[in-house]
């Protein structure tokens, strides 16, 4: 069993938890993910590592309530335990040798982008973070990003905080103003990663995106997480989750991600009724 | 006096039209009277070709003699000396190519129903014996086993019986490997697997789930932690696809994914948190046991028509004879000499058909089987809304990539000596699908057994 040692509400639908999992904490790196089950009857869901404390033996997960399992998870409290917590899975984000990077995060994807930005900062890389949210109420991890970024650009869709507009506008502006990046790392909704990659392709800047497809085992067995990258089938769990942003077939990834949406909606509503939401 | 009937005593099973709508076990097993009657067909011949045909060398005439005499527990004890999972093997071994394939009685008529008798003895023991095995005297040595599937569990069981402190590391949340995620309930009830695994726990075997070797901990770290030898039984790996257009459409599954959703995650049960697409017409591509399991599971999930699409002819189907027979009885349609060339999708990217081409058999290829050749102009479309690819697997690269000095072959399978299980790394042994590529439960068990004996020798010589 894996104890929840800290729970913090980051915004109305995004929650942070520190989970006691010493074996995972010892090895976890930014970019990797874990698979958890809340209880014996639960499904296996992948969540990207949001941070880790090797001394305390804890791993941070940050999740948005989108389905039955995340709803159940949201109702668990400090002191409760998860049934299963396996990892770290997937390859860590490659940061070696990078001198100047733009980290682009969108929505809850910022939770995954943050540990990458932090790691880059720690190795002495110049970090420009561009983070985007729908509105002011949904902003998360602002102070954390500030602490590890040489430059932080805050964007909101409605202009209620930071600058009004999309992260791609901000990225374009920075590049046009003469900033030269070794690499752009984009983590967020698939559609955002698609458009960021579209921008960087024009400028010929290497771009890495973090894909989070439907998964079951996460260890290289089921093949459910397959994507088309550069015309070849790749498995996000063992080949990724990071891929060359200019080669990913995003449209296919979006279609595949929506495969179980009706089922998930039904399950989520059912779970909400159980909790009396 | 031996029972000279030329045919095996049939085993009672659920009626095809009933069982194809439920997930309960198909074959119901012999009664005690039936087992005694069938056991009397064994001649107890001196040559014992059956023992040579068994990958774990069970004393087959020995256990059958006990059954014939009505000593069922005695029969079980004979099997248990050689097999860690008797109730499993009696159900999933391809007996027709092993013990039964060489049985003297098979020269004229049918061989003795060795598999059914093995199953009977194991089930009898599980139902009637409450005695727990004595824990062996610890010998003070530690061995790590990677993967709680048939290879790993067999290796762990044999080492534990010899007094070793054994820890099995399993990546999934449940022990059993392919026995729990792959083989369906109707062919191998999960309660039987659980019972066999509890038997290993009683012997002192520790099983740690949620540990991915190569990620959570590496093989080198296991040695640093005091393990003196490591056995790798990590299984077959990533599913293969055909590399034809449309394989990433919604409604195309690998058999691994489809079966894992159904078996491990119990998607067939009302209220399961794990979804599975409800389909009316399903094509399963492939002709092995995994293809049969997927096809028969699809039928039980409510599909109206299920096809097996296989590029060679019926004679080449690699599945167990009993599975093919059961599948046919249940209404699975076999489209042999047929190969998919494209999967078709509708405007929502959901599967709406599969284009195939007919095949004919040419000259034998490297495998000795006749090579399938396309029949030009024979393209046709099968009307399906789900496609399941059951065409084998490729090795998982995790352990290879994180273990220096561990040799793999050109396909990525771990290289291990067949007679000892030794790899290129000192103290590291391997067996099962991780070495051979996708094969059978019993071959994996045989490899686990071989490796256990080598590990014992290796540690004692140190």
């Amino acid at each position: 069993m894996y104890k929840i040692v800290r729970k913090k509400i980051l915004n109305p639908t995004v929650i942070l938890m520190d989970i006691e999992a010493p074996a995972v904490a010892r090895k976890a790196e930014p970019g990797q993910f874990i698979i958890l089950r809340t209880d014996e009857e639960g499904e296996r869901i992948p969540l990207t590592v949001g941070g880790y404390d090797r001394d305390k033996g804890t791993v941070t997960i940050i999740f948005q309530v989108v389905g039955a399992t995340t709803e159940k998870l949201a109702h668990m409290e400090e002191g409760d335990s998860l049934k299963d917590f396996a990892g770290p899975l997937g390859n860590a984000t490659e940061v070696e040798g990078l001198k100047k990077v733009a980290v682009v995060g969108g929505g809850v994807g910022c939770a995954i982008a943050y540990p990458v930005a932090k790691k880059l900062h720690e190795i002495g890389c110049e970090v420009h973070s561009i983070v985007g949210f729908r509105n002011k109420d949904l902003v998360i991890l602002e102070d954390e990003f500030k602490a590890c970024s040489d430059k932080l650009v805050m964007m909101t869709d409605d202009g209620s905080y930071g600058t009004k507009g999309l992260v791609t506008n901000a990225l374009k502006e920075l590049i046009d103003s003469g900033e030269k990046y070794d690499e752009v790392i984009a983590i967020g909704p698939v559609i955002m990663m698609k458009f960021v990659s579209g921008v960087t392709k024009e400028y010929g800047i290497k771009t890495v995106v973090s894909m989070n497809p439907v998964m079951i085992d996460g260890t290289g067995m089921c093949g459910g997480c397959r994507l088309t990258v550069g015309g070849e089938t790749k498995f996000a769990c063992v080949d990724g989750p990071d891929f060359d942003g200019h080669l990913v077939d995003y449209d296919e990834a979006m279609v595949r991600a929506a495969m179980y949406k009706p089922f998930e909606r039904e399950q989520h509503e059912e779970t909400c009724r159980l909790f009396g939401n | 006096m031996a029972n000279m009937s030329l045919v095996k005593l049939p085993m009672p099973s659920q009626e095809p039209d009933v069982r194809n709508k439920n997930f309960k076990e198909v074959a119901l097993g012999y009664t005690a009277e039936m087992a005694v009657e069938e056991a009397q067909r064994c001649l107890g011949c001196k040559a014992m070709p059956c023992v040579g045909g068994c990958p774990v060398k069970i004393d087959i005439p020995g256990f059958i003699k006990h059954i014939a005499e009505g000593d069922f527990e005695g029969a079980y004890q004979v099997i248990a000396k050689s097999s860690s999972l008797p109730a499993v093997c009696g159900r999933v071994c391809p007996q027709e190519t092993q013990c039964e394939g060489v049985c003297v009685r098979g020269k004229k008529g049918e061989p003795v129903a060795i598999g059914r008798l093995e199953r009977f003895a194991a089930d009898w023991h599980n139902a009637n014996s409450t005695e727990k095995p004595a824990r062996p005297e610890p010998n003070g040595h530690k061995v790590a086993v990677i993967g709680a599937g048939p290879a790993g569990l067999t290796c762990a069981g044999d080492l534990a019986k010899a007094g070793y402190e054994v820890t099995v590391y399993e990546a999934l949340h449940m022990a059993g490997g392919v026995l729990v995620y792959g083989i369906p309930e109707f062919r191998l009830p999960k309660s039987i697997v659980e019972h066999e695994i509890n038997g290993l726990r009683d012997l002192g075997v520790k099983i740690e789930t949620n540990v991915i070797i190569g990620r959570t901990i590496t093989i080198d770290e296991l040695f640093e932690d005091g393990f003196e030898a490591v056995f790798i039984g990590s299984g077959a790996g990533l599913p293969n696809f055909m590399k034809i257009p449309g394989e990433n459409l919604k409604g195309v599954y690998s058999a691994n994914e489809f079966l894992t959703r159904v078996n491990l995650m119990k998607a067939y049960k009302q209220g399961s948190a794990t979804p599975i697409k409800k389909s009316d017409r399903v094509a399963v591509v492939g002709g092995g046991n995994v293809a049969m399991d997927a096809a028969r599971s699809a039928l039980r999930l409510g599909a109206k028509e299920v096809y097996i699409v296989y590029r060679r002819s019926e004679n080449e189907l690699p599945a167990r004879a009993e599975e093919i027979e059961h599948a046919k009885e249940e209404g699975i349609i076999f489209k042999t000499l047929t190969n998919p060339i494209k999967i078709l999708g509708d405007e929502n990217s959901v599967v709406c058909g599969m284009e195939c081409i007919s095949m004919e058999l040419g000259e034998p290829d490297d495998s000795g089987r006749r090579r399938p050749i396309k029949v030009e102009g024979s393209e046709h479309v099968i009307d399906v809304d789900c496609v399941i690819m059951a065409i084998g697997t490729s090795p998982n690269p995790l352990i290879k990539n994180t273990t220096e000095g561990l040799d793999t072959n050109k396909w990525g399978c771990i290289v291990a000596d067949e007679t000892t299980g030794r790899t290129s790394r000192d103290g590291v042994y391997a067996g099962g699908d991780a070495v051979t590529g996708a094969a059978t439960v019993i071959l994996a068990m045989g490899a686990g057994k071989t490796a256990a004996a080598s590990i014992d020798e290796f540690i004692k010589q140190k």
Side-chain angles (χ1 to χ4, degrees):
Chain A
M1 299 292 265
Y2 304 84
K3 203 159 104 183
I4 301 166
V5 293
R6 183 165 77 111
K7 177 180 177 181
K8 191 179 164 194
I9 313 282
L10 297 186
N11 80 23
T13 63
V14 176
I15 296 167
L16 174 150
M17 283 180 178
D18 287 343
I19 311 294
E20 202 173 80
V24 185
R26 209 175 303 137
K27 289 291 178 65
E29 291 289 343
Q32 291 187 296
F33 64 93
I34 57 92
I35 292 253
L36 67 78
R37 282 202 315 160
T38 52
D39 57 281
E40 189 55 52
E41 302 305 316
E43 61 177 336
R44 294 170 67 93
I45 62 159
L47 287 174
T48 308
V49 168
Y52 42 84
D53 187 322
R54 304 215 203 277
D55 297 329
K56 285 192 196 147
T58 60
V59 176
T60 304
I61 52 171
I62 299 175
F63 60 93
Q64 185 164 27
V65 178
V66 288
T69 301
T70 44
E71 182 73 45
K72 266 198 261 180
L73 194 55
H75 281 83
M76 296 179 83
E77 302 298 337
E78 285 175 11
D80 291 345
S81 288
L82 303 178
K83 184 80 180 67
D84 298 293
F85 194 85
L89 295 158
N91 299 310
T93 301
E94 284 174 24
V95 293
E96 220 182 281
L98 294 174
K99 297 279 183 284
K100 185 169 175 174
V101 170
V103 175
V104 184
V108 73
C110 291
I112 311 165
Y114 164 63
V116 177
K118 185 171 168 228
K119 179 98 191 182
L120 287 165
H121 179 71
E122 280 165 8
I123 63 164
C125 172
E126 187 179 339
V127 178
H128 291 184
S129 297
I130 304 166
V131 294
F133 301 91
R134 285 214 308 279
N135 60 51
K136 186 173 187 240
D137 294 341
L138 301 179
V139 172
I140 57 169
L141 302 172
E142 186 181 5
D143 293 339
E144 285 83 349
F145 269 106
K146 253 184 209 157
C148 67
S149 307
D150 297 277
K151 187 175 276 191
L152 173 66
V153 184
M154 173 69 65
M155 306 293 292
T156 50
D157 292 359
D158 64 356
S160 53
Y161 196 60
T163 309
K164 181 177 167 148
L166 302 171
V167 289
T168 40
N169 306 134
L171 177 64
K172 246 178 138 97
E173 246 171 60
L174 283 170
I175 300 169
D176 288 339
S177 73
E179 302 286 1
K180 296 249 180 298
Y181 300 114
D182 299 338
E183 193 172 301
V184 171
I185 299 176
I187 305 169
V190 177
I191 188 83
M192 181 207 92
M193 296 192 281
K194 176 182 170 171
F195 284 114
V196 168
S197 298
V199 168
T200 56
K201 196 162 186 182
E202 276 173 42
Y203 293 92
I205 304 168
K206 186 185 170 194
T207 300
V208 170
V209 296
S210 175
M211 302 302 288
N212 189 14
V214 173
M215 264 181 206
I216 309 179
D217 66 296
T219 64
M221 193 265 283
C222 82
C225 65
R226 62 192 189 274
L227 303 157
T228 303
V229 181
E232 277 179 51
T233 293
K234 295 279 180 194
F235 300 101
C237 68
V238 295
D239 299 321
D242 286 1
F243 290 101
D244 182 335
H246 296 154
L247 298 178
V248 173
D249 183 340
Y250 296 102
D251 295 339
E252 181 187 273
M254 281 186 270
V255 166
R256 285 185 65 79
M259 177 147 179
Y260 297 105
K261 279 279 177 310
F263 176 90
E264 281 163 7
R265 206 171 301 124
E266 217 172 89
Q267 291 275 308
H268 189 188
E269 281 164 13
E270 175 70 28
T271 311
C272 287
R273 277 196 292 280
L274 287 175
F275 284 114
N277 290 17
Chain B
M1 178 61 204
N3 168 357
M4 292 314 287
S5 166
L6 289 180
V7 294
K8 290 178 189 175
L9 192 65
M11 178 164 54
S13 58
Q14 284 194 65
E15 286 301 318
D17 221 24
V18 174
R19 70 181 192 236
N20 64 11
K21 295 172 194 71
N22 70 53
F23 274 85
K24 289 185 203 136
E25 191 170 18
V26 167
L28 303 171
Y30 281 155
T31 61
E33 292 74 25
M34 292 165 129
V36 171
E37 187 184 337
E38 179 63 23
Q40 286 166 348
R41 290 187 65 229
C42 176
L43 303 174
C45 59
K46 289 272 181 306
M48 299 191 289
C50 50
V51 179
C54 174
V56 297
K57 305 284 175 271
I58 293 173
D59 174 8
I60 292 167
F63 92 77
I64 292 180
K65 184 160 181 281
H66 281 287
I67 294 182
E69 290 166 353
D71 174 16
F72 306 139
E73 179 61 21
Y76 173 81
Q77 292 304 335
V78 171
I79 300 170
K81 269 189 224 157
S82 309
S83 170
S84 298
L85 311 163
V88 173
C89 293
R91 288 172 166 83
V92 304
C93 267
Q95 288 95 3
E96 68 270 20
T97 59
Q98 298 176 355
C99 51
E100 293 182 21
V102 290
C103 174
V104 170
R105 293 296 305 264
K107 286 182 184 157
K108 197 177 160 200
E110 288 183 350
V112 176
I114 299 169
R116 294 173 188 176
L117 291 172
E118 181 185 24
R119 167 190 165 136
F120 169 79
D123 287 356
W124 193 92
H125 168 83
N126 290 350
N128 294 289
S129 170
T130 50
E131 219 171 291
K132 290 202 169 166
R135 273 207 189 189
E137 195 65 34
N139 67 11
H141 296 285
K142 280 170 70 183
V143 178
V145 169
I146 304 172
L153 292 175
T154 303
C155 186
D158 278 17
L159 288 168
K161 284 179 200 159
Y164 288 91
E165 188 186 328
V166 184
T167 306
V168 182
Y169 294 98
E170 168 57 44
L172 293 175
H173 58 260
M174 189 184 239
V178 73
L179 307 176
V180 295
Y181 76 72
I183 302 178
E185 177 78 16
F186 58 82
R187 196 148 79 79
L188 178 64
K190 299 311 146 217
S191 57
I192 285 171
V193 181
E194 203 183 326
H195 190 278
E196 303 278 25
I197 289 170
N198 285 339
L200 291 177
R201 286 204 172 99
D202 290 338
L203 280 173
V205 172
K206 270 189 274 177
I207 301 178
E208 292 210 20
T209 54
N210 295 327
V211 179
I212 301 99
I213 302 297
R215 293 279 190 223
T216 318
I217 187 165
T218 63
I219 287 183
D220 290 308
E221 288 165 330
L222 290 175
F223 282 111
E224 285 163 25
D225 285 352
F227 289 103
E228 293 165 69
V230 174
F231 173 75
I232 306 171
S234 53
L238 288 157
N240 291 340
F241 288 90
M242 293 187 70
K243 299 188 164 72
I244 57 173
E247 278 183 305
N248 291 351
L249 288 166
K250 289 192 269 189
V252 181
Y253 289 100
S254 74
N256 271 6
E257 179 183 359
F258 185 78
L259 290 171
T260 300
R261 283 180 185 273
V262 175
N263 299 324
L264 182 69
M265 308 311 295
K266 312 219 171 344
Y268 68 89
K269 283 190 181 165
Q270 198 75 37
S272 166
T274 301
I276 195 152
K277 184 178 179 286
K278 295 272 176 274
S279 307
D280 280 336
R281 289 173 312 281
V282 179
V284 179
V285 181
N289 288 322
V290 175
M292 301 303 143
D293 286 345
R296 296 170 70 198
S297 295
L299 203 61
R300 284 160 171 77
L301 286 172
K304 293 187 187 77
E305 269 177 9
V306 180
Y307 301 97
I308 287 279
V309 177
Y310 180 58
R311 65 194 181 125
R312 298 180 199 254
S313 79
E314 189 162 336
N315 295 328
E316 283 82 16
L317 282 170
R320 284 176 92 214
E322 187 178 274
E323 306 315 323
I324 297 168
E325 193 184 313
H326 279 161
K328 282 186 178 166
E329 286 171 4
E330 289 168 13
I332 306 284
I333 303 158
F334 282 68
K335 289 181 95 63
T336 51
L337 290 169
T338 305
N339 208 24
I341 47 180
K342 187 182 183 183
I343 301 167
L344 312 171
D346 66 12
E347 66 282 5
N348 297 315
S349 298
V350 178
V351 173
C352 66
M354 184 164 80
E355 192 177 332
C356 296
I357 189 161
S358 300
M359 311 291 279
E360 59 190 5
L361 293 180
E363 295 300 310
D365 62 12
D366 295 343
S367 71
R369 295 178 299 180
R370 293 175 65 192
R371 188 191 304 273
I373 302 166
K374 284 178 190 168
V375 178
E376 292 305 329
S378 67
E379 290 85 352
H380 59 281
V381 172
I382 309 180
D383 178 21
V384 290
D385 57 0
C386 175
V387 174
I388 301 169
M389 290 291 174
I391 53 167
T393 54
S394 298
N396 188 317
L398 262 185
I399 289 176
K400 177 190 85 173
N401 292 349
T402 54
T403 312
E404 219 170 296
L406 184 70
D407 289 351
T408 52
N409 66 16
K410 64 176 170 176
W411 296 283
C413 295
I414 296 167
V415 177
D417 182 84
E418 209 178 313
T419 54
T420 62
R422 275 173 63 175
T423 68
S424 55
R425 273 282 300 263
D426 202 34
V428 179
Y429 296 75
D433 286 0
V435 170
T436 56
T440 61
V441 168
I442 188 69
L443 283 175
M445 289 179 57
K449 203 170 182 59
T450 302
S454 304
I455 289 170
D456 182 41
E457 207 175 301
F458 168 76
I459 290 177
K460 281 188 177 147
Q461 275 173 5
K462 278 214 297 193

